[in-house]
Amino acid sequence: MHIGMIGLGKMGFNMRERLRRAGVDVTGYDRNPDVSDVPDTDALVAALPSPRIIWLMLPAGAITAAVVEELSGGLDAGDILIDGGNSRFTQDQAHADRAAERGIGFVDVGVSGGVWGLENGYGLMVGGSDEDVATLMPVFDALRPEGERDESFVHVGAVGSGHYAKMVHNGIEYGVMQSLAEGYELLAKKDIVEDVAGTMHAWQKGTVIRSWLLDLMVRALRDDPGLEKISGYVEDSGEGRWTVEEAIANEVAAPAITAAVFARFVSRQNDSPAMKAVAALRNQFGGHAVRPAGERVTGSGTPSPGSENTGTEPTTAAGPS
Amino acid sequence: MHIGMIGLGKMGFNMRERLRRAGVDVTGYDRNPDVSDVPDTDALVAALPSPRIIWLMLPAGAITAAVVEELSGGLDAGDILIDGGNSRFTQDQAHADRAAERGIGFVDVGVSGGVWGLENGYGLMVGGSDEDVATLMPVFDALRPEGERDESFVHVGAVGSGHYAKMVHNGIEYGVMQSLAEGYELLAKKDIVEDVAGTMHAWQKGTVIRSWLLDLMVRALRDDPGLEKISGYVEDSGEGRWTVEEAIANEVAAPAITAAVFARFVSRQNDSPAMKAVAALRNQFGGHAVRPAGERVTGSGTPSPGSENTGTEPTTAAGPS
Amino acid sequence: MHIGMIGLGKMGFNMRERLRRAGVDVTGYDRNPDVSDVPDTDALVAALPSPRIIWLMLPAGAITAAVVEELSGGLDAGDILIDGGNSRFTQDQAHADRAAERGIGFVDVGVSGGVWGLENGYGLMVGGSDEDVATLMPVFDALRPEGERDESFVHVGAVGSGHYAKMVHNGIEYGVMQSLAEGYELLAKKDIVEDVAGTMHAWQKGTVIRSWLLDLMVRALRDDPGLEKISGYVEDSGEGRWTVEEAIANEVAAPAITAAVFARFVSRQNDSPAMKAVAALRNQFGGHAVRPAGERVTGSGTPSPGSENTGTEPTTAAGPS
Amino acid sequence: MHIGMIGLGKMGFNMRERLRRAGVDVTGYDRNPDVSDVPDTDALVAALPSPRIIWLMLPAGAITAAVVEELSGGLDAGDILIDGGNSRFTQDQAHADRAAERGIGFVDVGVSGGVWGLENGYGLMVGGSDEDVATLMPVFDALRPEGERDESFVHVGAVGSGHYAKMVHNGIEYGVMQSLAEGYELLAKKDIVEDVAGTMHAWQKGTVIRSWLLDLMVRALRDDPGLEKISGYVEDSGEGRWTVEEAIANEVAAPAITAAVFARFVSRQNDSPAMKAVAALRNQFGGHAVRPAGERVTGSGTPSPGSENTGTEPTTAAGPS
């Protein structure tokens, strides 16, 4: 089998390698010539046997859409396009429709596994027609971990369902990471816990919460037991947000996943407009002293001296409320 | 009527004044001699007619407990102690029991109204015996706003119930403030809203959310339309925490109130251990770049260039997940 | 002044009446002939002086869009369309653009006040051009409460901003209602609170949380002190959902408002798929007994006897976890 | 080695068996004579070599406390008591102090693994003195899974820290289960997901969220793909609540874990007082129709016909708000 792959970043680069190790020929294209096998997509299309199979591993959104558009014009009936990036599932049908105008098949694949997938294999969630999926099975089998196919591969349903399943997977991932993080903070703040890293380490076998994310947490703590080298500034990619939007659209209460998304928003704020408003309100009704903007926020959570009292106030008195 | 008041801070000082304006004699004691009428509590006790009525307006916890203990030893049967501070309702019965050993009555009062109570009157939630409450009605009537008694005074039930009701009141207050604050941030972040302060101003009459806290928000924005002078660092007093604990104890889901309490915790952190953990996890599974500790957190929420990509990575590629 | 109003439901019907009382002539149309002044929209258009002003008070979405489309074809340059319904702000620009093709002005107005607006007046949040808004001021002044204009009227910004502000207003409303509701449950579950309705009644004057929604809560409890006649099944209209979606889109943490939306979703479920999943998991790892589907859920929150233990298990033993 | 074990339920019964398979002699007592090795605790104490080691595996709270009290009176200096149940960590020091009055050692152990621990081994989190822990290592090594000790055993710190770590572990477990459950509902509600069980099955290998709890979810779905046989009524044991309380006490925002606890509370309510209050409020301000109590709640989330409109209202009109 011989396929094309466009987008050779952290994911695509490793996937090309895993496919090759499994005996699948891959011609890869990336705009970075250091990793690309061909100079451009035309060369990639020309290099592939017919019917062509081209796997896109590109940033979701405009870039993926542009490449789908370009290839839909350059491929032939019977070829198959695969979008393996983190596209929003709501985009897939439009891409499939565009491809179908020329008789080109379209399959969306949610790919999970991160940088570890090269060695471990990738979890795959696939949306598309039975026929296209059947054609692609050798590719999927090469990418997924060895062992039972059903444990790492699923044909979820029609076009869009693969990315929907991946979105939900990532939404769960947000919630699990937030849960582990809350637990970490609860351990780290407690004096009687003398060995935070050791405690999480000891959860890896036998416990109910043993999991790969826990294993990674242990790895991170091994390198930096107090997480002193890292800032608590956390980006979010689209899937967490989309999961909340799908929760709203489908009337599903998703408080844990949503809490995880909101916590990331707050982590990136230097100062929160909302909390300024709360501080202003407290000042209004209770005369509670406020911190001037720009005063360094301390991490201790300990009120600064006098923060609840004005200077002339008798300190025995009950504060207002 | 002639009562004693111990604790003349922002609340007690104003309450003494409001009582006096209403014709209630008040002998006040505070450890700050500038505001105190008498040099010590012995002098206060000696100054009061029998049966004595002494209103405590002190910080909750050890200080209130110590003064209850002291007075329980110095008062006589038939006297009444009132705890009007923000004591936890779980403390009241012990205080009442201690007072009862000497035949002293005990009444707990939740007092709401903040620094505005002097002019507006205070909302009062009272726990205690029918007899004690009846004795104290002239005091309560002087403190509460004019008009219908039932709109600002309630005898909630037995000892402890006044502070319980006040705790719930304050829990609701947390949730309402948080809701207003979230709305403020939603207005402030949106370009098409050209007049944030004016918008909240226009909610004061006619709308469903008209309220005193909204009025205070408008006042705060009048002085500082962008809340630029204030930091989003928010203390919390005990009532919010106790409300969450009572929610847990009584199996009541209280997600809005709890969110308000947690938001305050986070507002006081310079960096969040939990979010460090999430950042560390993302780095582990996806090779997502992290911010070194100490790197200045920007307020924009915009990813710094390259924050999701390592230097050598082709920028067209889909990131891992 | 003489305007048209289309949609004479609970809101539009009362608004027509309030306008008329203030001396504004209103020709109203509704598909219900009992309340309509004219047989159809053509007749309404014909009845109005030029330049025409037509206020739409229709269900958001398809119905409003259809009427905007219809009128955009039938009105003339210089006429003004007002959308006073709860349309999503993201729809407004398209409606304004459609109207502008014929030189028709478009103004979006968020209207708050519910069925009480007839007597109290309505809070108004307006988006549109300065010129159109100036033309409409007599209408706005008739609808809003008497007194200071700025307390119930705001020109928020360009087209769309009025509905955006109304959306945020309603989002806050969700959070405030949820907060009051959590407080209500905390009072209702506590034995020492002997008078739940009386306690909330006493919060109406003097307290920090005094508000119109609290006044309404007191009214509801006056009629039905234990809320025994009402089911805890709560619909949600669009604004709450849109607020969460805007929170996501603008990276604003809105946990209290979101909690309110999710609580409504859950209130409408007879059984929760998510909680079935949690029950299934507990059964898997711990052998915790589960309830068969269809077994009546009790309201007490008290575990049924033996619910944590299988029949043959020694009851002294620690359960698994 | 020869130890005693008191409490032979789902956990203790299996632990006795695992210890015996590893060559540790165990004399077990349970009040259920079918599983007990001795008729009473006196017999158990008499059967053990000195210094005695007795492992308690009892329900947390009064039962554990009573047995600690009883044994503290009957054991000798140098003996060691182990509390392996789910006791609250705040109880441990009192138990240790009571035991220490007679020179008896006390060690608290958090044990995780559920009914699967017999075969898989148990995760162990231990609090106590270095000396006592060293003495007990053969017991711990027999209970934990084979392989690296540090992956399933940790000496967290002094007395109480083992149960604290277990509490945090279980708090995380709550959050992870809730996250998986939210994801399950998002899959189950979406038509394009044709194979919910298969999708979760495919997450078991290669994905970021692979975990033992996911494995259990897959098991549950294998038996009952739509979870149709199970009710979404979920008990909670103490650890989830305690985790929230510790979050409050230590100023740790724990929104995901708390959401999980609250979701369980709601799952057990037949009707929610809070949501009755919200329904009552909506009815007050908007005339929104409410459902009479006792009317069967439908699971569809679809509004009943006319639920937002009163009978006489024109259906084209915008509802109030």
Side-chain angles (χ1 to χ4, degrees):
Chain A
M1 198 155 202
H2 182 181
I3 73 166
M5 179 164 285
I6 299 180
L8 301 169
K10 274 179 284 199
M11 291 295 282
F13 185 90
N14 282 350
M15 290 164 71
R16 178 178 60 176
E17 177 63 17
R18 185 170 175 92
L19 287 165
R20 285 175 174 169
R21 290 185 190 173
V24 177
D25 287 333
V26 184
T27 300
Y29 169 71
D30 193 275
R31 67 182 193 186
N32 176 356
D34 295 344
V35 297
S36 191
D37 300 317
V38 287
D40 52 34
T41 54
D42 286 346
L44 180 128
V45 170
L48 296 176
S50 181
R52 301 178 195 88
I53 294 170
I54 302 183
W55 187 298
L56 308 185
M57 209 62 200
L58 295 163
I63 293 175
T64 292
V67 175
V68 168
E69 177 62 27
E70 176 194 349
L71 293 175
S72 294
L75 297 183
D76 298 314
D79 292 347
I80 303 178
L81 271 182
I82 304 155
D83 180 5
N86 278 325
S87 295
R88 190 163 188 171
F89 81 98
T90 50
Q91 307 296 309
D92 290 319
Q93 192 58 52
H95 293 166
D97 290 346
R98 180 69 185 86
E101 292 171 15
R102 300 266 298 217
I104 304 164
F106 183 88
V107 171
D108 57 291
V109 184
V111 180
S112 183
V115 293
W116 300 77
L118 172 58
E119 301 304 330
N120 294 346
Y122 300 90
L124 303 173
M125 298 140 255
V126 178
S129 73
D130 288 345
E131 188 184 353
D132 286 345
V133 173
T135 302
L136 298 170
M137 280 314 303
V139 181
F140 298 144
D141 282 337
L143 287 171
R144 67 174 181 80
E146 292 171 21
E148 294 286 329
R149 180 186 282 169
D150 290 351
E151 292 185 336
S152 56
F153 167 86
V154 62
H155 181 189
V156 180
V159 163
S161 64
H163 279 141
Y164 185 86
K166 177 68 185 342
M167 179 201 77
V168 174
H169 167 280
N170 280 32
I172 295 170
E173 185 184 311
Y174 271 67
V176 173
M177 289 166 74
Q178 177 70 22
S179 301
L180 285 167
E182 294 173 7
Y184 169 76
E185 186 164 332
L186 283 161
L187 293 178
K189 282 231 177 156
K190 198 76 179 179
D191 284 346
I192 60 172
V193 177
E194 292 173 17
D195 185 0
V196 172
T199 298
M200 297 192 97
H201 191 175
W203 289 342
Q204 288 185 275
K205 291 277 189 311
T207 70
V208 173
I209 63 169
R210 61 188 188 262
S211 60
W212 191 59
L213 280 165
L214 176 68
D215 295 343
L216 294 182
M217 188 75 216
V218 171
R219 276 180 60 95
L221 292 170
R222 190 177 305 147
D223 298 340
D224 183 7
L227 299 182
E228 292 171 5
K229 300 176 193 162
I230 195 169
S231 161
Y233 178 103
V234 188
E235 303 287 352
D236 73 292
S237 53
E239 294 91 344
R241 301 183 184 201
W242 302 335
T243 304
V244 178
E245 290 171 0
E246 283 299 305
I248 294 291
N250 293 286
E251 303 186 358
V252 173
I257 294 172
T258 305
V261 174
F262 285 161
R264 293 190 183 189
F265 289 171
V266 173
S267 83
R268 302 197 299 258
Q269 290 184 314
N270 214 1
D271 205 354
S272 156
M275 299 319 287
K276 283 168 170 274
V278 175
L281 280 169
R282 293 183 84 233
N283 179 245
Q284 285 290 330
F285 71 72
H288 296 292
V290 296
R291 298 207 171 192
E295 184 174 321
R296 186 173 158 64
V297 176
T298 62
S300 68
T302 308
S304 62
S307 69
E308 290 279 322
N309 295 306
T310 60
T312 61
E313 180 191 359
T315 52
T316 51
S321 61
Chain B
M1 198 152 201
H2 182 182
I3 74 166
M5 180 164 285
I6 299 179
L8 301 168
K10 274 179 286 200
M11 289 297 282
F13 186 91
N14 281 350
M15 290 165 71
R16 177 177 62 175
E17 178 62 18
R18 186 171 174 91
L19 287 166
R20 285 175 175 168
R21 290 185 191 174
V24 177
D25 288 333
V26 183
T27 299
Y29 168 71
D30 194 275
R31 67 182 191 185
N32 176 357
D34 296 343
V35 296
S36 191
D37 301 317
V38 289
D40 53 33
T41 53
D42 287 346
L44 180 131
V45 169
L48 296 177
S50 181
R52 302 179 194 86
I53 294 170
I54 302 182
W55 187 298
L56 308 185
M57 209 63 198
L58 295 163
I63 292 175
T64 291
V67 176
V68 168
E69 176 61 28
E70 177 194 348
L71 292 174
S72 294
L75 297 181
D76 297 315
D79 293 347
I80 303 178
L81 270 182
I82 304 155
D83 179 5
N86 278 326
S87 295
R88 190 164 189 171
F89 81 98
T90 49
Q91 307 295 309
D92 290 319
Q93 193 56 53
H95 293 167
D97 290 345
R98 180 68 185 89
E101 291 172 15
R102 301 266 299 216
I104 304 164
F106 182 89
V107 172
D108 58 291
V109 184
V111 180
S112 183
V115 294
W116 300 77
L118 172 59
E119 301 303 331
N120 294 346
Y122 299 90
L124 303 174
M125 297 141 255
V126 178
S129 72
D130 289 344
E131 187 182 357
D132 287 344
V133 173
T135 302
L136 298 171
M137 278 316 301
V139 180
F140 297 143
D141 282 338
L143 287 171
R144 67 175 180 81
E146 292 171 23
E148 294 286 330
R149 179 187 281 169
D150 290 352
E151 292 185 338
S152 56
F153 167 87
V154 62
H155 181 188
V156 180
V159 164
S161 64
H163 279 141
Y164 185 85
K166 178 66 182 346
M167 178 202 76
V168 174
H169 167 279
N170 280 32
I172 294 171
E173 184 185 312
Y174 271 67
V176 173
M177 291 166 74
Q178 178 69 22
S179 301
L180 285 167
E182 294 173 8
Y184 169 76
E185 186 164 332
L186 283 162
L187 293 178
K189 282 230 178 157
K190 198 77 178 178
D191 285 345
I192 61 170
V193 177
E194 293 173 17
D195 186 358
V196 172
T199 298
M200 298 192 96
H201 191 176
W203 290 342
Q204 288 185 274
K205 291 276 189 312
T207 69
V208 173
I209 64 169
R210 60 189 190 261
S211 60
W212 191 59
L213 279 165
L214 176 68
D215 295 343
L216 294 181
M217 189 76 217
V218 171
R219 277 180 59 96
L221 291 170
R222 191 177 304 148
D223 298 339
D224 182 7
L227 299 183
E228 291 171 6
K229 301 175 192 162
I230 196 170
S231 161
Y233 179 103
V234 188
E235 303 286 352
D236 73 292
S237 53
E239 293 92 343
R241 301 183 185 202
W242 302 335
T243 304
V244 178
E245 289 171 0
E246 283 299 306
I248 294 291
N250 293 286
E251 302 184 359
V252 173
I257 294 172
T258 305
V261 174
F262 285 159
R264 295 191 181 189
F265 290 170
V266 173
S267 82
R268 302 197 299 259
Q269 289 183 316
N270 214 1
D271 205 354
S272 155
M275 298 319 287
K276 283 169 171 273
V278 175
L281 280 169
R282 292 184 85 234
N283 179 244
Q284 285 290 330
F285 71 72
H288 296 292
V290 297
R291 299 207 171 192
E295 184 174 321
R296 186 173 158 65
V297 176
T298 62
S300 67
T302 309
S304 60
S307 69
E308 290 279 322
N309 296 306
T310 59
T312 61
E313 181 191 0
T315 52
T316 52
S321 60
Chain C
M1 196 153 205
H2 182 181
I3 74 166
M5 180 165 283
I6 300 180
L8 301 168
K10 273 179 287 199
M11 291 296 283
F13 185 91
N14 282 350
M15 289 165 73
R16 178 177 62 176
E17 177 63 17
R18 185 171 175 91
L19 287 167
R20 286 175 173 169
R21 289 184 190 173
V24 177
D25 287 334
V26 184
T27 301
Y29 168 71
D30 194 276
R31 67 181 194 186
N32 175 358
D34 296 344
V35 297
S36 192
D37 299 318
V38 288
D40 52 35
T41 54
D42 287 345
L44 180 129
V45 170
L48 296 177
S50 181
R52 301 179 195 88
I53 295 169
I54 302 183
W55 187 299
L56 309 184
M57 209 62 199
L58 294 164
I63 292 174
T64 290
V67 176
V68 168
E69 176 62 27
E70 177 193 350
L71 292 174
S72 295
L75 297 182
D76 297 315
D79 293 348
I80 303 177
L81 271 182
I82 304 155
D83 179 5
N86 279 323
S87 294
R88 190 164 188 170
F89 81 99
T90 50
Q91 307 296 308
D92 290 318
Q93 193 56 54
H95 292 166
D97 290 344
R98 180 68 185 89
E101 292 171 15
R102 300 265 300 215
I104 304 163
F106 182 88
V107 172
D108 57 291
V109 184
V111 180
S112 183
V115 294
W116 300 77
L118 172 60
E119 301 303 332
N120 295 345
Y122 300 90
L124 304 174
M125 296 140 256
V126 178
S129 72
D130 288 346
E131 188 184 355
D132 287 345
V133 173
T135 303
L136 298 171
M137 280 314 302
V139 181
F140 297 143
D141 282 338
L143 287 171
R144 67 175 180 80
E146 292 172 20
E148 293 288 329
R149 180 187 281 170
D150 289 351
E151 292 185 337
S152 56
F153 168 86
V154 62
H155 181 188
V156 180
V159 164
S161 64
H163 279 141
Y164 185 86
K166 177 67 184 342
M167 178 202 78
V168 174
H169 167 279
N170 280 33
I172 294 171
E173 185 184 312
Y174 272 67
V176 174
M177 290 166 75
Q178 178 69 21
S179 301
L180 285 167
E182 294 173 7
Y184 169 76
E185 186 163 332
L186 282 162
L187 293 177
K189 281 231 178 156
K190 198 76 178 180
D191 284 346
I192 60 170
V193 177
E194 293 174 16
D195 185 359
V196 172
T199 297
M200 297 191 98
H201 190 175
W203 289 343
Q204 288 185 275
K205 292 276 190 311
T207 70
V208 173
I209 63 169
R210 60 190 189 261
S211 60
W212 191 59
L213 280 165
L214 177 67
D215 295 343
L216 294 182
M217 189 74 218
V218 171
R219 277 180 59 96
L221 292 171
R222 191 177 304 148
D223 298 339
D224 183 7
L227 299 182
E228 291 171 6
K229 300 175 192 163
I230 196 170
S231 161
Y233 178 104
V234 188
E235 303 287 353
D236 72 293
S237 53
E239 293 92 343
R241 300 183 184 200
W242 301 335
T243 304
V244 178
E245 289 172 0
E246 283 299 306
I248 293 291
N250 293 286
E251 303 185 358
V252 173
I257 294 172
T258 306
V261 175
F262 285 160
R264 294 189 182 190
F265 290 170
V266 172
S267 82
R268 303 197 299 260
Q269 290 184 314
N270 213 2
D271 205 353
S272 156
M275 300 317 288
K276 283 169 171 272
V278 175
L281 279 170
R282 293 183 84 234
N283 179 245
Q284 285 290 331
F285 71 72
H288 296 292
V290 296
R291 298 207 170 192
E295 183 174 320
R296 187 173 157 65
V297 176
T298 63
S300 67
T302 309
S304 61
S307 69
E308 290 280 321
N309 296 306
T310 59
T312 60
E313 182 191 0
T315 53
T316 51
S321 62
Chain D
M1 197 153 201
H2 182 182
I3 74 167
M5 179 164 285
I6 299 179
L8 301 169
K10 273 180 287 200
M11 291 296 283
F13 185 90
N14 281 350
M15 290 164 72
R16 177 178 62 176
E17 177 63 16
R18 185 170 174 92
L19 286 166
R20 285 175 174 169
R21 290 185 190 173
V24 177
D25 287 333
V26 184
T27 300
Y29 168 71
D30 193 276
R31 68 182 192 185
N32 175 356
D34 295 344
V35 295
S36 192
D37 300 318
V38 288
D40 52 35
T41 53
D42 287 347
L44 179 129
V45 169
L48 296 176
S50 182
R52 300 178 195 90
I53 295 170
I54 302 182
W55 189 298
L56 309 185
M57 209 62 200
L58 294 163
I63 292 174
T64 291
V67 175
V68 169
E69 176 63 27
E70 177 194 348
L71 292 174
S72 294
L75 296 183
D76 297 315
D79 292 349
I80 302 177
L81 270 181
I82 304 155
D83 179 6
N86 279 324
S87 295
R88 190 164 189 168
F89 80 97
T90 50
Q91 308 295 310
D92 290 318
Q93 193 57 54
H95 293 166
D97 290 345
R98 180 68 185 88
E101 292 172 15
R102 300 265 299 215
I104 303 163
F106 182 89
V107 172
D108 58 292
V109 184
V111 180
S112 183
V115 293
W116 300 77
L118 172 58
E119 301 303 332
N120 294 346
Y122 300 90
L124 303 173
M125 296 141 257
V126 178
S129 72
D130 289 344
E131 188 184 355
D132 286 345
V133 173
T135 303
L136 299 170
M137 280 314 302
V139 180
F140 297 143
D141 282 337
L143 286 170
R144 68 175 179 79
E146 291 171 21
E148 293 288 328
R149 180 187 279 169
D150 291 351
E151 292 185 337
S152 55
F153 167 88
V154 62
H155 181 189
V156 180
V159 164
S161 64
H163 279 140
Y164 185 85
K166 178 69 183 345
M167 178 202 77
V168 174
H169 167 280
N170 280 33
I172 294 171
E173 184 184 312
Y174 271 67
V176 173
M177 290 166 75
Q178 178 69 23
S179 302
L180 286 167
E182 294 174 8
Y184 169 75
E185 186 164 333
L186 282 161
L187 293 178
K189 282 231 177 157
K190 198 76 178 178
D191 284 346
I192 60 171
V193 177
E194 292 173 18
D195 185 0
V196 172
T199 298
M200 297 191 97
H201 190 176
W203 290 342
Q204 288 185 273
K205 290 278 189 311
T207 71
V208 174
I209 63 170
R210 59 188 189 263
S211 60
W212 192 59
L213 280 164
L214 176 67
D215 295 342
L216 294 181
M217 189 75 217
V218 171
R219 277 179 58 96
L221 291 170
R222 190 177 304 147
D223 298 340
D224 182 7
L227 299 181
E228 291 171 5
K229 300 175 192 162
I230 196 170
S231 161
Y233 178 104
V234 187
E235 303 287 352
D236 72 291
S237 53
E239 293 93 344
R241 301 183 184 201
W242 303 335
T243 304
V244 178
E245 289 171 1
E246 282 300 305
I248 293 292
N250 293 287
E251 303 185 359
V252 172
I257 294 172
T258 305
V261 174
F262 286 160
R264 294 190 181 189
F265 290 171
V266 173
S267 82
R268 303 197 298 259
Q269 290 183 314
N270 213 2
D271 205 354
S272 155
M275 299 318 288
K276 283 169 171 272
V278 175
L281 280 170
R282 292 183 85 234
N283 179 245
Q284 285 290 330
F285 71 72
H288 296 291
V290 296
R291 299 208 169 190
E295 182 174 324
R296 186 173 159 65
V297 176
T298 63
S300 67
T302 309
S304 62
S307 69
E308 289 281 320
N309 295 305
T310 60
T312 60
E313 181 190 359
T315 53
T316 52
S321 61

